[in-house]
Amino acid sequence: MSEKRKSRIEADIESLERGVFTGEEGGSERTSPRKDFIASIAVAALGILAMTLAAQLDTLDSPYTAPGLLPFITGVSLVLMAIGLFEKTRRRYGLDAMLKSGGIQAITDYLAATENRRTLLLMVVIGLYVLILGQMDMDLRYKTSFYTFRFSGFEAISIPFILLILRYFWRSTLFNCFLVSTGIVVFLAVIFRDGFQILLPGSG
Amino acid sequence: MLEELLAQLTIAFQPWMIWVCLMGVTLGIIWGALPGLSTTMAMALLIGLSTGMTQHVSVMFMLGVYTGSVFGGAISAVLINIPGTPDAVPTMIEGNQLARRGEGGLALGTAIMGSFIGNWIGIIFLIAFIPAILFLALQFRSWEMFLLSMWGIAICGSMSAGDMPIKGWISGWIGLLISFVGLDAIHALPRFTFGARTLEDGISYIPLLIGLFGLTEILKVLPQKSPPGIPSEVGRIIPPMKKIIAHSKAAIRSGIIGTIIGAIPGAGANVASFLSYDIGRRRASEEERQKWGKGSYEAIVCAEVANNANIGGSMLPTLTLGIPGNAAAAAILAALEMKNIVVGPTIQTENPGIIYFIYIGLIIANFLMYGMAIALIKPCVKLFSLPRTLLMPLILPICIMGAFAVGLNYFDVYLMFIAGIVGYVLHRFGFPLAPMVLAVILGPLADENMRRAFLVFEDKEWWTILIDRPIGTVLVIIVIYTFYDGIFKRGKE
């Protein structure tokens, strides 16, 4: 079942017209009973995990100053909130709507939406970018009488990854994407490194 | 006091400071004007840029960014019917109608004037109320600080999640768990570190802020396809004085609403502009009300004054209690702490003069905002021709550099990436992100103060904690009411 989603702007306009309070970040995403059901299970699991880990911490001199005291209370509160979320969703939509699971179909539906596929791809590309940049340790310098030109691991990794993202999402020519990615990465590197004396990742 | 004020004035009016503030305001306006790039995102990412600056320069820069970006959203809202920031939605509804009738410039001019007035109201309230709140804050002990921190997280959850406050609270409580990672403040015992030495220092909230408000935003916006239309003519910008005076009553009312909303943790410019717009409609004259929704200048005044007055309001709890008024103020707090400025009740004694510097900085930023807003309208129109699919990837390296710059530790970049993914998932499940950031900031404060307070009351009956501290008792009632309101009132709407 694909969920009908409203954009942030649509939801905000609707709330203004109805005079309904949607909150500082409200209306940005419409959820479904199934999502709330999954969320309540996940939050309860997180609460139980927090309680377990907190209970394992040493109680040193007094139980009142035990390092695990507030984490334990937080875990208990999270479990209670998960129950609250479950109950609220059940009252609003009914248990059937919450438990109606699409199974594999739900995943297929999710992947069928172009926007979702693009998001997943973007996550993978950014993940690789972050991971590879973390392994880099390079800083080439070319000294001239007026300026020291530098090319570090940051530029070496950022340029191709930004190029890749631009090519896929912006869909301009390869040359344009290369020009933009090189220009912006070099510009940012110079501003941060030379202008504000901030070290860049991947530059040793 | 006068000596301190003069010293800060001398620092603030140095040409370099004005230049830095101008740079911050300009970046803020452009950032806010670009659809999809929010004020919080601007603040979160530009913290990285401020790491290389000195204390005063960094504060001035961030105040410039804050002031500029809150206004910036109005430009794209009026001209291309897409709000640069969510709080510009009311301005978009009214301003774009006017722009279609060829009055776009005047609508923007009204928005600029509204923002200018709003900033002033916020600053005046900030200056007027800081001494009183600081005096009150000095009476706070561990028990009160614990309750105040918990109330901050709870009210932020309520205010940011609308009809599902429980989701806001869950987000805040997850933030609390994150804040417990590392060595605990009293016994230096590792908590939730799983044996990893890197985690013993705790989780820095700046990479988290960048991930939640920078990377999450990229993941949300970049995969969408929505090219905006570009306006051809802007027209006259500066509104006639007669028009400004005609809306002065609405401006003052909206300024007060904006400031009060700003002072409540979690309620930011968005709630302020929406509430002020709604109240403005109810209070407007019959003739004016007819124009509401079809292009009303008074409506623009209501929204813009409120969201800008919010800046001064949000600084009030941030500076006096160390509790950020909203997510953008959390970024200001991060920038201040990064420069070893201890915010909270002792700010005056530990950092003499810094409050005066912040007042002066806000005033300078406001004047620069007014000038730059007029100057930048036409260049911003050109910027709108840039597709978001081009802009968003360019923000990615800023996220990475910003996260790394804070501690020169690549672990923070991994943290930023994980926060971005978690933020995206939470967003898809309808959880607000601001309470989480607030909880990560306030968690250590809450933990340490709760245990200290319990230690003080260890030998007494448990209920004495409720009657021995009157301020604490009031706070207990407020905390209980916040949950009651969220569960039994708001939750049923």
Side-chain angles (χ1 to χ4, degrees), chain B residues 144-158 169 173 263-265 317 321 323 438 442 475-483:
Chain B
E144 287 81 6
M145 283 312 288
F146 161 69
L147 288 168
L148 202 66
S149 313
M150 295 312 287
W151 177 72
I153 301 165
I155 192 74
C156 181
S158 298
W169 299 334
W173 260 239
I264 300 171
L321 303 168
I323 294 175
L438 198 76
L442 297 179
L475 283 168
V476 168
I477 295 166
I478 292 172
V479 171
I480 293 171
Y481 181 76
T482 304
F483 284 107

PDB file of all heavy atoms in Angstrom, chain B residues 144-158 169 173 263-265 317 321 323 438 442 475-483:
ATOM      1  N   GLU B 144      16.327  22.228  40.615  1.00  0.00           N
ATOM      2  CA  GLU B 144      15.635  23.116  39.677  1.00  0.00           C
ATOM      3  C   GLU B 144      16.248  22.997  38.275  1.00  0.00           C
ATOM      4  O   GLU B 144      15.530  22.987  37.279  1.00  0.00           O
ATOM      5  CB  GLU B 144      15.711  24.576  40.141  1.00  0.00           C
ATOM      6  CG  GLU B 144      14.838  24.913  41.331  1.00  0.00           C
ATOM      7  CD  GLU B 144      15.462  24.515  42.643  1.00  0.00           C
ATOM      8  OE1 GLU B 144      16.632  24.076  42.646  1.00  0.00           O
ATOM      9  OE2 GLU B 144      14.799  24.629  43.683  1.00  0.00           O
ATOM     10  N   MET B 145      17.581  22.895  38.219  1.00  0.00           N
ATOM     11  CA  MET B 145      18.241  22.789  36.912  1.00  0.00           C
ATOM     12  C   MET B 145      17.840  21.487  36.216  1.00  0.00           C
ATOM     13  O   MET B 145      17.631  21.450  35.011  1.00  0.00           O
ATOM     14  CB  MET B 145      19.773  22.852  37.059  1.00  0.00           C
ATOM     15  CG  MET B 145      20.315  24.242  37.304  1.00  0.00           C
ATOM     16  SD  MET B 145      19.689  25.525  36.197  1.00  0.00           S
ATOM     17  CE  MET B 145      20.499  25.134  34.670  1.00  0.00           C
ATOM     18  N   PHE B 146      17.732  20.407  37.029  1.00  0.00           N
ATOM     19  CA  PHE B 146      17.302  19.124  36.460  1.00  0.00           C
ATOM     20  C   PHE B 146      15.887  19.248  35.890  1.00  0.00           C
ATOM     21  O   PHE B 146      15.617  18.869  34.747  1.00  0.00           O
ATOM     22  CB  PHE B 146      17.356  18.024  37.533  1.00  0.00           C
ATOM     23  CG  PHE B 146      16.528  16.819  37.197  1.00  0.00           C
ATOM     24  CD1 PHE B 146      16.889  15.983  36.152  1.00  0.00           C
ATOM     25  CD2 PHE B 146      15.361  16.525  37.905  1.00  0.00           C
ATOM     26  CE1 PHE B 146      16.109  14.881  35.815  1.00  0.00           C
ATOM     27  CE2 PHE B 146      14.576  15.430  37.584  1.00  0.00           C
ATOM     28  CZ  PHE B 146      14.953  14.602  36.532  1.00  0.00           C
ATOM     29  N   LEU B 147      14.987  19.837  36.707  1.00  0.00           N
ATOM     30  CA  LEU B 147      13.596  19.962  36.266  1.00  0.00           C
ATOM     31  C   LEU B 147      13.480  20.866  35.037  1.00  0.00           C
ATOM     32  O   LEU B 147      12.728  20.582  34.105  1.00  0.00           O
ATOM     33  CB  LEU B 147      12.731  20.512  37.396  1.00  0.00           C
ATOM     34  CG  LEU B 147      12.465  19.537  38.527  1.00  0.00           C
ATOM     35  CD1 LEU B 147      11.858  20.258  39.712  1.00  0.00           C
ATOM     36  CD2 LEU B 147      11.550  18.410  38.090  1.00  0.00           C
ATOM     37  N   LEU B 148      14.264  21.920  35.039  1.00  0.00           N
ATOM     38  CA  LEU B 148      14.236  22.861  33.922  1.00  0.00           C
ATOM     39  C   LEU B 148      14.716  22.171  32.633  1.00  0.00           C
ATOM     40  O   LEU B 148      14.124  22.362  31.557  1.00  0.00           O
ATOM     41  CB  LEU B 148      15.146  24.051  34.248  1.00  0.00           C
ATOM     42  CG  LEU B 148      14.869  25.321  33.487  1.00  0.00           C
ATOM     43  CD1 LEU B 148      13.516  25.891  33.855  1.00  0.00           C
ATOM     44  CD2 LEU B 148      15.957  26.342  33.776  1.00  0.00           C
ATOM     45  N   SER B 149      15.767  21.375  32.751  1.00  0.00           N
ATOM     46  CA  SER B 149      16.271  20.654  31.574  1.00  0.00           C
ATOM     47  C   SER B 149      15.209  19.697  31.052  1.00  0.00           C
ATOM     48  O   SER B 149      14.963  19.622  29.841  1.00  0.00           O
ATOM     49  CB  SER B 149      17.518  19.843  31.915  1.00  0.00           C
ATOM     50  OG  SER B 149      18.413  20.607  32.626  1.00  0.00           O
ATOM     51  N   MET B 150      14.575  18.966  31.962  1.00  0.00           N
ATOM     52  CA  MET B 150      13.562  17.993  31.541  1.00  0.00           C
ATOM     53  C   MET B 150      12.354  18.700  30.936  1.00  0.00           C
ATOM     54  O   MET B 150      11.777  18.236  29.954  1.00  0.00           O
ATOM     55  CB  MET B 150      13.118  17.112  32.731  1.00  0.00           C
ATOM     56  CG  MET B 150      14.197  16.223  33.280  1.00  0.00           C
ATOM     57  SD  MET B 150      15.120  15.287  32.039  1.00  0.00           S
ATOM     58  CE  MET B 150      13.942  14.063  31.548  1.00  0.00           C
ATOM     59  N   TRP B 151      12.004  19.858  31.526  1.00  0.00           N
ATOM     60  CA  TRP B 151      10.876  20.610  30.965  1.00  0.00           C
ATOM     61  C   TRP B 151      11.225  21.106  29.558  1.00  0.00           C
ATOM     62  O   TRP B 151      10.402  21.054  28.651  1.00  0.00           O
ATOM     63  CB  TRP B 151      10.504  21.794  31.870  1.00  0.00           C
ATOM     64  CG  TRP B 151       9.405  22.611  31.275  1.00  0.00           C
ATOM     65  CD1 TRP B 151       8.097  22.251  31.167  1.00  0.00           C
ATOM     66  CD2 TRP B 151       9.514  23.902  30.675  1.00  0.00           C
ATOM     67  NE1 TRP B 151       7.380  23.252  30.530  1.00  0.00           N
ATOM     68  CE2 TRP B 151       8.232  24.273  30.226  1.00  0.00           C
ATOM     69  CE3 TRP B 151      10.574  24.781  30.477  1.00  0.00           C
ATOM     70  CZ2 TRP B 151       7.979  25.495  29.581  1.00  0.00           C
ATOM     71  CZ3 TRP B 151      10.324  25.987  29.846  1.00  0.00           C
ATOM     72  CH2 TRP B 151       9.033  26.336  29.404  1.00  0.00           C
ATOM     73  N   GLY B 152      12.472  21.559  29.408  1.00  0.00           N
ATOM     74  CA  GLY B 152      12.932  22.038  28.096  1.00  0.00           C
ATOM     75  C   GLY B 152      12.755  20.966  27.037  1.00  0.00           C
ATOM     76  O   GLY B 152      12.238  21.223  25.948  1.00  0.00           O
ATOM     77  N   ILE B 153      13.159  19.740  27.365  1.00  0.00           N
ATOM     78  CA  ILE B 153      13.059  18.646  26.395  1.00  0.00           C
ATOM     79  C   ILE B 153      11.586  18.309  26.143  1.00  0.00           C
ATOM     80  O   ILE B 153      11.157  18.117  25.001  1.00  0.00           O
ATOM     81  CB  ILE B 153      13.838  17.395  26.885  1.00  0.00           C
ATOM     82  CG1 ILE B 153      15.313  17.747  27.102  1.00  0.00           C
ATOM     83  CG2 ILE B 153      13.706  16.254  25.885  1.00  0.00           C
ATOM     84  CD1 ILE B 153      16.096  16.733  27.914  1.00  0.00           C
ATOM     85  N   ALA B 154      10.807  18.257  27.229  1.00  0.00           N
ATOM     86  CA  ALA B 154       9.387  17.886  27.098  1.00  0.00           C
ATOM     87  C   ALA B 154       8.610  18.923  26.292  1.00  0.00           C
ATOM     88  O   ALA B 154       7.863  18.576  25.374  1.00  0.00           O
ATOM     89  CB  ALA B 154       8.766  17.720  28.486  1.00  0.00           C
ATOM     90  N   ILE B 155       8.812  20.198  26.592  1.00  0.00           N
ATOM     91  CA  ILE B 155       8.044  21.243  25.888  1.00  0.00           C
ATOM     92  C   ILE B 155       8.506  21.328  24.432  1.00  0.00           C
ATOM     93  O   ILE B 155       7.706  21.571  23.522  1.00  0.00           O
ATOM     94  CB  ILE B 155       8.122  22.615  26.610  1.00  0.00           C
ATOM     95  CG1 ILE B 155       7.104  23.619  26.050  1.00  0.00           C
ATOM     96  CG2 ILE B 155       9.481  23.235  26.535  1.00  0.00           C
ATOM     97  CD1 ILE B 155       5.697  23.370  26.440  1.00  0.00           C
ATOM     98  N   CYS B 156       9.778  21.079  24.202  1.00  0.00           N
ATOM     99  CA  CYS B 156      10.288  21.081  22.828  1.00  0.00           C
ATOM    100  C   CYS B 156       9.603  19.963  22.044  1.00  0.00           C
ATOM    101  O   CYS B 156       9.189  20.154  20.899  1.00  0.00           O
ATOM    102  CB  CYS B 156      11.802  20.880  22.829  1.00  0.00           C
ATOM    103  SG  CYS B 156      12.515  20.887  21.208  1.00  0.00           S
ATOM    104  N   GLY B 157       9.459  18.791  22.689  1.00  0.00           N
ATOM    105  CA  GLY B 157       8.751  17.677  22.048  1.00  0.00           C
ATOM    106  C   GLY B 157       7.322  18.054  21.729  1.00  0.00           C
ATOM    107  O   GLY B 157       6.825  17.820  20.625  1.00  0.00           O
ATOM    108  N   SER B 158       6.644  18.688  22.702  1.00  0.00           N
ATOM    109  CA  SER B 158       5.237  19.078  22.502  1.00  0.00           C
ATOM    110  C   SER B 158       5.115  20.096  21.379  1.00  0.00           C
ATOM    111  O   SER B 158       4.240  19.991  20.536  1.00  0.00           O
ATOM    112  CB  SER B 158       4.678  19.726  23.765  1.00  0.00           C
ATOM    113  OG  SER B 158       4.694  18.817  24.814  1.00  0.00           O
ATOM    114  N   TRP B 169       8.341  13.734  22.283  1.00  0.00           N
ATOM    115  CA  TRP B 169       8.983  13.279  23.533  1.00  0.00           C
ATOM    116  C   TRP B 169       9.899  12.094  23.257  1.00  0.00           C
ATOM    117  O   TRP B 169      10.990  12.005  23.809  1.00  0.00           O
ATOM    118  CB  TRP B 169       7.916  12.890  24.575  1.00  0.00           C
ATOM    119  CG  TRP B 169       7.021  14.017  24.958  1.00  0.00           C
ATOM    120  CD1 TRP B 169       7.317  15.350  24.906  1.00  0.00           C
ATOM    121  CD2 TRP B 169       5.679  13.927  25.435  1.00  0.00           C
ATOM    122  NE1 TRP B 169       6.240  16.084  25.325  1.00  0.00           N
ATOM    123  CE2 TRP B 169       5.220  15.244  25.661  1.00  0.00           C
ATOM    124  CE3 TRP B 169       4.818  12.875  25.696  1.00  0.00           C
ATOM    125  CZ2 TRP B 169       3.937  15.537  26.127  1.00  0.00           C
ATOM    126  CZ3 TRP B 169       3.542  13.150  26.174  1.00  0.00           C
ATOM    127  CH2 TRP B 169       3.105  14.461  26.387  1.00  0.00           C
ATOM    128  N   TRP B 173      13.702  11.809  24.187  1.00  0.00           N
ATOM    129  CA  TRP B 173      14.223  10.766  25.087  1.00  0.00           C
ATOM    130  C   TRP B 173      15.329   9.961  24.396  1.00  0.00           C
ATOM    131  O   TRP B 173      16.266   9.519  25.045  1.00  0.00           O
ATOM    132  CB  TRP B 173      13.076   9.867  25.567  1.00  0.00           C
ATOM    133  CG  TRP B 173      12.592  10.225  26.941  1.00  0.00           C
ATOM    134  CD1 TRP B 173      12.570   9.401  28.022  1.00  0.00           C
ATOM    135  CD2 TRP B 173      12.067  11.492  27.412  1.00  0.00           C
ATOM    136  NE1 TRP B 173      12.084  10.078  29.123  1.00  0.00           N
ATOM    137  CE2 TRP B 173      11.770  11.350  28.784  1.00  0.00           C
ATOM    138  CE3 TRP B 173      11.833  12.724  26.828  1.00  0.00           C
ATOM    139  CZ2 TRP B 173      11.246  12.378  29.564  1.00  0.00           C
ATOM    140  CZ3 TRP B 173      11.316  13.761  27.596  1.00  0.00           C
ATOM    141  CH2 TRP B 173      11.025  13.584  28.933  1.00  0.00           C
ATOM    142  N   ALA B 263      10.993  32.349  23.263  1.00  0.00           N
ATOM    143  CA  ALA B 263      11.549  32.015  24.579  1.00  0.00           C
ATOM    144  C   ALA B 263      11.153  30.616  25.045  1.00  0.00           C
ATOM    145  O   ALA B 263      11.752  30.075  25.964  1.00  0.00           O
ATOM    146  CB  ALA B 263      11.105  33.051  25.600  1.00  0.00           C
ATOM    147  N   ILE B 264      10.128  30.023  24.408  1.00  0.00           N
ATOM    148  CA  ILE B 264       9.713  28.669  24.799  1.00  0.00           C
ATOM    149  C   ILE B 264      10.576  27.657  24.049  1.00  0.00           C
ATOM    150  O   ILE B 264      10.610  27.675  22.824  1.00  0.00           O
ATOM    151  CB  ILE B 264       8.216  28.436  24.469  1.00  0.00           C
ATOM    152  CG1 ILE B 264       7.352  29.455  25.214  1.00  0.00           C
ATOM    153  CG2 ILE B 264       7.790  27.014  24.809  1.00  0.00           C
ATOM    154  CD1 ILE B 264       5.895  29.452  24.786  1.00  0.00           C
ATOM    155  N   PRO B 265      11.286  26.778  24.758  1.00  0.00           N
ATOM    156  CA  PRO B 265      12.149  25.827  24.064  1.00  0.00           C
ATOM    157  C   PRO B 265      11.368  24.978  23.056  1.00  0.00           C
ATOM    158  O   PRO B 265      10.291  24.473  23.367  1.00  0.00           O
ATOM    159  CB  PRO B 265      12.699  24.947  25.192  1.00  0.00           C
ATOM    160  CG  PRO B 265      12.585  25.788  26.404  1.00  0.00           C
ATOM    161  CD  PRO B 265      11.353  26.622  26.210  1.00  0.00           C
ATOM    162  N   PRO B 317      16.256  32.272  26.829  1.00  0.00           N
ATOM    163  CA  PRO B 317      16.596  31.082  27.620  1.00  0.00           C
ATOM    164  C   PRO B 317      17.967  30.521  27.271  1.00  0.00           C
ATOM    165  O   PRO B 317      18.608  29.889  28.104  1.00  0.00           O
ATOM    166  CB  PRO B 317      15.489  30.077  27.254  1.00  0.00           C
ATOM    167  CG  PRO B 317      15.005  30.504  25.927  1.00  0.00           C
ATOM    168  CD  PRO B 317      15.178  31.991  25.870  1.00  0.00           C
ATOM    169  N   LEU B 321      19.713  30.480  30.764  1.00  0.00           N
ATOM    170  CA  LEU B 321      19.542  29.158  31.366  1.00  0.00           C
ATOM    171  C   LEU B 321      20.348  28.070  30.660  1.00  0.00           C
ATOM    172  O   LEU B 321      20.419  26.941  31.136  1.00  0.00           O
ATOM    173  CB  LEU B 321      18.050  28.765  31.343  1.00  0.00           C
ATOM    174  CG  LEU B 321      17.093  29.747  32.032  1.00  0.00           C
ATOM    175  CD1 LEU B 321      15.662  29.420  31.700  1.00  0.00           C
ATOM    176  CD2 LEU B 321      17.293  29.714  33.535  1.00  0.00           C
ATOM    177  N   ILE B 323      19.402  26.842  27.919  1.00  0.00           N
ATOM    178  CA  ILE B 323      18.403  26.001  27.248  1.00  0.00           C
ATOM    179  C   ILE B 323      18.012  26.697  25.945  1.00  0.00           C
ATOM    180  O   ILE B 323      17.407  27.765  25.975  1.00  0.00           O
ATOM    181  CB  ILE B 323      17.173  25.783  28.151  1.00  0.00           C
ATOM    182  CG1 ILE B 323      17.598  24.967  29.373  1.00  0.00           C
ATOM    183  CG2 ILE B 323      16.036  25.092  27.402  1.00  0.00           C
ATOM    184  CD1 ILE B 323      16.530  24.771  30.396  1.00  0.00           C
ATOM    185  N   LEU B 438      18.117  19.046  21.247  1.00  0.00           N
ATOM    186  CA  LEU B 438      18.004  19.733  22.532  1.00  0.00           C
ATOM    187  C   LEU B 438      18.346  18.784  23.683  1.00  0.00           C
ATOM    188  O   LEU B 438      19.042  19.156  24.635  1.00  0.00           O
ATOM    189  CB  LEU B 438      16.579  20.268  22.699  1.00  0.00           C
ATOM    190  CG  LEU B 438      16.421  21.343  23.746  1.00  0.00           C
ATOM    191  CD1 LEU B 438      16.946  22.668  23.219  1.00  0.00           C
ATOM    192  CD2 LEU B 438      14.974  21.500  24.154  1.00  0.00           C
ATOM    193  N   LEU B 442      21.063  19.033  26.596  1.00  0.00           N
ATOM    194  CA  LEU B 442      20.635  19.157  27.991  1.00  0.00           C
ATOM    195  C   LEU B 442      20.816  17.883  28.820  1.00  0.00           C
ATOM    196  O   LEU B 442      20.782  17.935  30.047  1.00  0.00           O
ATOM    197  CB  LEU B 442      19.164  19.585  28.054  1.00  0.00           C
ATOM    198  CG  LEU B 442      18.839  20.959  27.457  1.00  0.00           C
ATOM    199  CD1 LEU B 442      17.355  21.246  27.560  1.00  0.00           C
ATOM    200  CD2 LEU B 442      19.615  22.055  28.168  1.00  0.00           C
ATOM    201  N   LEU B 475       8.203  24.134  39.193  1.00  0.00           N
ATOM    202  CA  LEU B 475       8.682  23.462  37.976  1.00  0.00           C
ATOM    203  C   LEU B 475       8.104  22.055  37.841  1.00  0.00           C
ATOM    204  O   LEU B 475       7.780  21.615  36.733  1.00  0.00           O
ATOM    205  CB  LEU B 475      10.215  23.422  37.972  1.00  0.00           C
ATOM    206  CG  LEU B 475      10.896  24.741  37.613  1.00  0.00           C
ATOM    207  CD1 LEU B 475      12.387  24.688  37.913  1.00  0.00           C
ATOM    208  CD2 LEU B 475      10.696  25.082  36.145  1.00  0.00           C
ATOM    209  N   VAL B 476       7.963  21.347  38.994  1.00  0.00           N
ATOM    210  CA  VAL B 476       7.363  20.002  38.944  1.00  0.00           C
ATOM    211  C   VAL B 476       5.949  20.108  38.364  1.00  0.00           C
ATOM    212  O   VAL B 476       5.555  19.334  37.487  1.00  0.00           O
ATOM    213  CB  VAL B 476       7.325  19.352  40.348  1.00  0.00           C
ATOM    214  CG1 VAL B 476       6.456  18.099  40.350  1.00  0.00           C
ATOM    215  CG2 VAL B 476       8.721  18.991  40.815  1.00  0.00           C
ATOM    216  N   ILE B 477       5.199  21.100  38.849  1.00  0.00           N
ATOM    217  CA  ILE B 477       3.824  21.286  38.368  1.00  0.00           C
ATOM    218  C   ILE B 477       3.829  21.597  36.863  1.00  0.00           C
ATOM    219  O   ILE B 477       3.035  21.039  36.102  1.00  0.00           O
ATOM    220  CB  ILE B 477       3.109  22.412  39.169  1.00  0.00           C
ATOM    221  CG1 ILE B 477       2.959  21.964  40.630  1.00  0.00           C
ATOM    222  CG2 ILE B 477       1.750  22.757  38.562  1.00  0.00           C
ATOM    223  CD1 ILE B 477       2.577  23.071  41.599  1.00  0.00           C
ATOM    224  N   ILE B 478       4.775  22.452  36.443  1.00  0.00           N
ATOM    225  CA  ILE B 478       4.854  22.808  35.014  1.00  0.00           C
ATOM    226  C   ILE B 478       5.176  21.570  34.164  1.00  0.00           C
ATOM    227  O   ILE B 478       4.565  21.344  33.110  1.00  0.00           O
ATOM    228  CB  ILE B 478       5.902  23.930  34.785  1.00  0.00           C
ATOM    229  CG1 ILE B 478       5.415  25.239  35.424  1.00  0.00           C
ATOM    230  CG2 ILE B 478       6.155  24.156  33.302  1.00  0.00           C
ATOM    231  CD1 ILE B 478       6.433  26.364  35.422  1.00  0.00           C
ATOM    232  N   VAL B 479       6.124  20.772  34.648  1.00  0.00           N
ATOM    233  CA  VAL B 479       6.499  19.561  33.894  1.00  0.00           C
ATOM    234  C   VAL B 479       5.290  18.624  33.784  1.00  0.00           C
ATOM    235  O   VAL B 479       4.963  18.134  32.701  1.00  0.00           O
ATOM    236  CB  VAL B 479       7.700  18.826  34.560  1.00  0.00           C
ATOM    237  CG1 VAL B 479       7.933  17.476  33.919  1.00  0.00           C
ATOM    238  CG2 VAL B 479       8.966  19.674  34.473  1.00  0.00           C
ATOM    239  N   ILE B 480       4.608  18.418  34.918  1.00  0.00           N
ATOM    240  CA  ILE B 480       3.438  17.527  34.910  1.00  0.00           C
ATOM    241  C   ILE B 480       2.370  18.084  33.969  1.00  0.00           C
ATOM    242  O   ILE B 480       1.776  17.352  33.175  1.00  0.00           O
ATOM    243  CB  ILE B 480       2.883  17.329  36.349  1.00  0.00           C
ATOM    244  CG1 ILE B 480       3.908  16.541  37.177  1.00  0.00           C
ATOM    245  CG2 ILE B 480       1.540  16.589  36.329  1.00  0.00           C
ATOM    246  CD1 ILE B 480       3.597  16.460  38.657  1.00  0.00           C
ATOM    247  N   TYR B 481       2.165  19.405  34.007  1.00  0.00           N
ATOM    248  CA  TYR B 481       1.150  20.003  33.148  1.00  0.00           C
ATOM    249  C   TYR B 481       1.516  19.839  31.660  1.00  0.00           C
ATOM    250  O   TYR B 481       0.644  19.591  30.828  1.00  0.00           O
ATOM    251  CB  TYR B 481       0.943  21.487  33.469  1.00  0.00           C
ATOM    252  CG  TYR B 481      -0.119  22.088  32.595  1.00  0.00           C
ATOM    253  CD1 TYR B 481      -1.471  21.837  32.849  1.00  0.00           C
ATOM    254  CD2 TYR B 481       0.212  22.843  31.472  1.00  0.00           C
ATOM    255  CE1 TYR B 481      -2.451  22.333  32.014  1.00  0.00           C
ATOM    256  CE2 TYR B 481      -0.766  23.342  30.635  1.00  0.00           C
ATOM    257  CZ  TYR B 481      -2.096  23.092  30.909  1.00  0.00           C
ATOM    258  OH  TYR B 481      -3.065  23.572  30.077  1.00  0.00           O
ATOM    259  N   THR B 482       2.815  19.949  31.363  1.00  0.00           N
ATOM    260  CA  THR B 482       3.263  19.796  29.969  1.00  0.00           C
ATOM    261  C   THR B 482       2.879  18.410  29.443  1.00  0.00           C
ATOM    262  O   THR B 482       2.363  18.269  28.329  1.00  0.00           O
ATOM    263  CB  THR B 482       4.793  20.010  29.868  1.00  0.00           C
ATOM    264  OG1 THR B 482       5.097  21.282  30.409  1.00  0.00           O
ATOM    265  CG2 THR B 482       5.284  19.935  28.438  1.00  0.00           C
ATOM    266  N   PHE B 483       3.114  17.395  30.276  1.00  0.00           N
ATOM    267  CA  PHE B 483       2.760  16.038  29.849  1.00  0.00           C
ATOM    268  C   PHE B 483       1.232  15.869  29.805  1.00  0.00           C
ATOM    269  O   PHE B 483       0.697  15.262  28.877  1.00  0.00           O
ATOM    270  CB  PHE B 483       3.390  14.993  30.784  1.00  0.00           C
ATOM    271  CG  PHE B 483       4.857  14.813  30.542  1.00  0.00           C
ATOM    272  CD1 PHE B 483       5.803  15.289  31.422  1.00  0.00           C
ATOM    273  CD2 PHE B 483       5.310  14.171  29.403  1.00  0.00           C
ATOM    274  CE1 PHE B 483       7.168  15.141  31.191  1.00  0.00           C
ATOM    275  CE2 PHE B 483       6.666  14.015  29.144  1.00  0.00           C
ATOM    276  CZ  PHE B 483       7.591  14.505  30.048  1.00  0.00           C
TER     277      PHE B 483
END
